Amino acid sequence: VQLQASGGGLVQAGASLRLSCIPSRRTFNRSAVGWFRQAPGKEREFVAAINWRGDSLYFAESVKGRFTISRDNAKNTIYLQMNNLKPEDTAAYYCAAKNVIWSNDAVYTRANDYGYWGQGTQVTVSS
């Protein structure tokens, strides 16, 4: 199962980017989804998560107030809107998905919780 993340690029500090995550051969409709990032020489870290209904969100402290996560189930797409980008946001960004049952409204912040991953999209923020 492949997730396709896109929307990365090279921007200046203070700019905005919107990342998209689309599954190639599945639907996101019953999946909790998370975004993670990994900078060179650093461990992968949690960025944001959304439950399958789209009514529960969670953010890392480092991005709270600047990033938001949303989902459009009709378009089968998860978005990460990143505003006021900082050089320390520079990293490869990955989306991940976890199948859940309808009664599970949880968000997940650990990489090990997710079974499906995308290939990553690079975000570079210059100062």
Side-chain angles (χ1 to χ4, degrees):
V1 175
Q2 188 74 12
L3 306 179
Q4 298 176 332
S6 62
L10 171 61
V11 297
Q12 291 188 331
S16 297
L17 282 174
R18 188 177 76 163
L19 305 185
S20 299
C21 180
I22 300 174
S24 60
R25 286 181 290 177
R26 67 189 298 270
T27 175
F28 269 144
N29 288 354
R30 197 59 59 78
S31 298
V33 177
W35 285 95
F36 293 78
R37 66 186 181 187
Q38 187 167 19
K42 295 187 177 181
E43 293 186 354
R44 186 170 297 189
E45 65 173 357
F46 167 77
V47 176
I50 188 168
N51 67 346
W52 79 268
R53 299 179 188 272
D55 58 6
S56 183
L57 315 177
Y58 195 81
F59 299 92
E61 285 297 322
S62 59
V63 306
K64 197 172 292 185
R66 300 187 297 122
F67 290 14
T68 190
I69 186 171
S70 61
R71 64 191 306 150
D72 186 336
N73 284 345
K75 295 183 178 180
N76 203 28
T77 303
I78 306 295
Y79 301 102
L80 183 68
Q81 177 68 42
M82 306 185 297
N83 299 325
N84 190 23
L85 283 161
K86 303 177 180 180
E88 51 264 41
D89 295 319
T90 295
Y93 283 72
Y94 300 86
C95 59
K98 173 184 174 64
N99 289 340
V100 297
I101 60 175
W102 71 271
S103 58
N104 182 349
D105 289 341
V107 294
Y108 296 88
T109 63
R110 301 182 307 172
N112 287 344
D113 288 328
Y114 293 92
Y116 305 101
W117 289 84
Q119 82 286 6
T121 184
Q122 180 66 35
V123 173
T124 303
V125 185
S126 63
S127 58

